[in-house]
Amino acid sequence: IISDPMLATGASLVKTIQYLTAENKPSAIHIVCAIACTVGIELIQRECGNNVRIWCGDIDEELTAKGYIVPGLGDAGDLAYGVKVQN
């Protein structure tokens, strides 16, 4: 089970799943998130196959140019890991 507050582009989850499946052979992978974007869902389905199940509270259709889900939850995913520092 992989837990992430938000599934936006799906790129980092694809890398995580590829790493896990290279080291182990899980019979299934479950991703649990509060909100997901169709772009990320489609990427995971395309790149990771049928043994990945995505469980999410809601699905939004749009990403901004920075990869934020619209309307999404704002910076909640980033801020869950501490104060955001921008240069």
Side-chain angles (χ1 to χ4, degrees):
I1 295 178
I2 301 170
S3 177
D4 197 354
M6 291 183 282
L7 169 69
T9 66
S12 50
L13 276 174
V14 166
K15 292 280 187 192
T16 301
I17 293 166
Q18 289 171 341
Y19 175 78
L20 289 172
T21 55
E23 297 295 318
N24 303 294
K25 301 298 178 210
S27 59
I29 296 172
H30 294 266
I31 298 169
V32 179
C33 55
I35 192 166
C37 184
T38 53
V39 172
I41 293 170
E42 291 169 356
L43 179 69
I44 290 170
Q45 290 172 334
R46 190 171 53 251
E47 296 292 324
C48 300
N50 293 331
N51 71 332
V52 177
R53 301 284 183 259
I54 301 171
W55 303 85
C56 62
D58 199 8
I59 298 174
D60 285 338
E61 300 296 323
E62 188 179 343
L63 289 177
T64 67
K66 286 187 166 188
Y68 292 156
I69 300 171
V70 176
L73 300 172
D75 286 342
D78 292 336
L79 296 175
Y81 300 102
V83 176
K84 190 173 190 177
V85 179
Q86 294 183 347
N87 295 327

